[in-house]
Amino acid sequence: MNESLNKQDLPMDESADINSRGDASKQNKPDDLVLYYFPTSFSSQKVLISFFEKELKFKPCIVSLFHGQHMEPWYIRLNPNGIHVPVLVHGDKVINDPDKIIEYIDTLKNGPNLMPPKTSLLGQQVSKFQESLEKIPVDVISYGVIFHPHLSEGGCQLPVAIQRSMKENFAKRLRYLISLSTIYPDLRDCYLAKSQTAAEKYDLITDEDRVRGHIEQLSSFLNNVEGELRQRYNIDSADAMYLFGDSLTVADIGLYVLITRLQLLGLVPHCVPASKFPLTHRHYTLLSARPSINLLLQDMSKLRYTLLLEDLKASGTYAALALGAGLVLVAAYYFIKRLKS
C-alpha cells in the first residue's frame, strides 16, 4: 500500500478524458474519494459493493483493462507496485490493495461494519476467510478457462470472439510492456517487473494441468463455506444469511463476487452445484437482492458506452490490442446479462 501521492498529472473524474493531464490537487478537493477501477474486475467489484453498502460518495475513474490503460505511464506512476485495479486516492493517501481499501473506508462513515476489529472473534473469522479467498488465483482460473475451454463443464459464457481476443491480447501485452520500458526510462524497472509477472502468469495459464489444479482447490474452500453456513442455518428458515455474525461483512461480499465469476466461467456445475451446496446458493440469492448489487449492475450498464468511447479514441501502439468497438459492446453486454440472471 502506498502511503502518499506524489504530485502527478492524473485524470480525476469520469467526465474527464482518462488520458488527459492536469494537476490532481486542482481537480479534487482534499476530502474527495477518487476510485480508479474497472467494473468487471474481481477486486473492483468487491470494493464497489463495499462503497455502495457504506453509502459513500466517490469520484469514479474507469481504467479500461480492455484498452491497456492500466499500463499507461500516468497509471503506473499512481500504482507502480499494485496489480491493475482498483486504486483509491484520498487526499495524499493512495491505497492499491482491495482489502486495504475496504478497511480504510470502513473507518470513514458510520454504518455496516464490513471489517470487524481483528481483536474480536468475528474479526478473526472474517480475516481468516479473507486470507483463504486471497489465495484463490481468480485471474489465473479465469484466463485458464479461456485458454482451455474444455475445463468448464457449463461452458464459459463469454462469446467465442471475446475469448479469442482476450487470448491474443494477453500474449501481446508482454511485448507492449517491454516496449514501454524503453520509451519511459524513469519507469523502466516498473515496466520490466510487470512484464516478468505477466510472462510468469502466461506460463501458468497456458499450463492446463496447473489450471485444473487451481480449479480443483476451489472444492476445499467452497466445502468450508457450505459447512460454515450449515452450522447456523437451514435452507427453509433463513430470510437473511451471513457467513459470520448477524450482518453483512466483507466475507459475504467476497463470496458473492467469487460465485458470480464462477457463473461467468461456467464452473458452477463443477465447483459448487446447487444439489451439494444449497446454502451457498441461498446465500448468493439473498445477496443478489441487496440494493448494493443493483447499484453494481447499474454501474456496469454504463460500461458498454464508456468502452465504446475509449475504443473510438484508441490510437497508437496499443490500438492493436483493443478488442474493437463491436467486441467491447458484446463483452459488456454478456457480463451484465450473466450478473442479472
Side-chain angles (χ1 to χ4, degrees):
M1 180 176 71
N2 295 338
E3 294 298 335
S4 62
L5 172 65
N6 295 326
K7 298 298 183 181
Q8 301 292 347
D9 295 335
L10 303 175
M12 281 299 165
D13 65 57
E14 62 180 348
S15 63
D17 182 347
I18 196 73
N19 293 310
S20 65
R21 296 294 185 263
D23 190 334
S25 64
K26 293 179 181 179
Q27 294 187 30
N28 289 293
K29 299 176 183 178
D31 59 347
D32 281 341
L33 289 166
V34 184
L35 184 65
Y36 295 85
Y37 70 101
F38 192 62
T40 63
S41 113
F42 181 84
S43 296
S44 291
Q45 289 184 352
K46 288 199 303 181
V47 170
L48 281 171
I49 294 172
S50 300
F51 264 95
F52 297 145
E53 286 288 339
K54 301 288 289 184
E55 297 182 352
L56 279 169
K57 294 182 179 179
F58 63 95
K59 286 192 173 184
C61 279
I62 290 181
V63 179
S64 175
L65 304 184
F66 282 156
H67 296 89
Q69 290 173 345
H70 58 292
M71 294 185 284
E72 293 301 318
W74 68 267
Y75 191 73
I76 296 297
R77 292 188 176 98
L78 175 69
N79 187 25
N81 301 315
I83 303 298
H84 299 172
V85 288
V87 171
L88 176 67
V89 177
H90 190 205
D92 288 335
K93 292 184 179 293
V94 179
I95 308 173
N96 56 29
D97 177 275
D99 289 339
K100 293 293 185 182
I101 292 174
I102 298 171
E103 183 177 0
Y104 180 74
I105 66 172
D106 224 17
T107 67
L108 299 181
K109 184 181 177 66
N110 293 331
N113 191 10
L114 301 177
M115 299 191 77
K118 295 181 180 179
T119 53
S120 68
L121 175 60
L122 178 58
Q124 292 169 13
Q125 291 173 319
V126 172
S127 294
K128 184 178 180 181
F129 179 89
Q130 287 296 94
E131 291 172 3
S132 298
L133 182 62
E134 183 66 23
K135 293 177 182 178
I136 298 174
V138 175
D139 56 341
V140 170
I141 293 172
S142 299
Y143 271 97
V145 166
I146 290 172
F147 273 76
H148 314 284
H150 54 278
L151 295 179
S152 170
E153 184 175 326
C156 181
Q157 300 303 306
L158 286 172
V160 174
I162 297 296
Q163 297 181 50
R164 183 171 58 250
S165 294
M166 291 177 69
K167 290 171 64 175
E168 294 171 353
N169 290 346
F170 198 102
K172 293 175 181 177
R173 184 189 305 172
L174 306 179
R175 297 193 297 271
Y176 186 59
L177 284 167
I178 293 174
S179 69
L180 287 173
S181 71
T182 62
I183 297 172
Y184 300 97
D186 60 314
L187 299 174
R188 181 177 182 274
D189 291 343
C190 288
Y191 277 123
L192 290 179
K194 289 180 182 295
S195 66
Q196 181 177 350
T197 299
E200 293 170 352
K201 190 165 293 185
Y202 185 78
D203 289 340
L204 178 55
I205 64 178
T206 54
D207 187 326
E208 180 180 335
D209 290 337
R210 295 174 72 183
V211 173
R212 182 183 289 107
H214 284 301
I215 293 174
E216 294 304 323
Q217 288 174 7
L218 283 171
S219 298
S220 176
F221 175 82
L222 293 168
N223 278 326
N224 289 338
V225 167
E226 184 72 13
E228 186 67 38
L229 292 172
R230 285 183 185 276
Q231 292 180 22
R232 310 182 62 215
Y233 304 100
N234 63 65
I235 193 65
D236 298 320
S237 63
D239 294 325
M241 189 180 290
Y242 306 107
L243 276 171
F244 310 105
D246 299 321
S247 61
L248 187 81
T249 69
V250 69
D252 299 293
I253 295 172
L255 178 59
Y256 172 85
V257 176
L258 175 63
I259 300 299
T260 297
R261 178 57 60 92
L262 295 181
Q263 281 189 332
L264 182 69
L265 296 174
L267 292 175
V268 165
H270 175 73
C271 296
V272 57
S275 59
K276 295 183 179 180
F277 297 86
L279 293 179
T280 302
H281 280 259
R282 176 64 174 160
H283 177 276
Y284 183 82
T285 299
L286 290 170
L287 257 68
S288 297
R290 295 182 73 90
S292 60
I293 303 303
N294 184 55
L295 290 172
L296 174 65
L297 294 176
Q298 290 180 28
D299 192 84
M300 291 185 63
S301 69
K302 304 173 186 175
L303 177 61
R304 67 189 82 176
Y305 305 110
T306 301
L307 293 182
L308 177 58
L309 176 62
E310 291 303 325
D311 208 55
L312 294 173
K313 292 191 298 182
S315 60
T317 307
Y318 196 75
L321 299 184
L323 286 177
L327 292 182
V328 166
L329 284 173
V330 173
Y333 168 77
Y334 270 86
F335 203 102
I336 296 166
K337 183 178 179 181
R338 293 307 304 169
L339 275 178
K340 287 183 176 179
S341 64

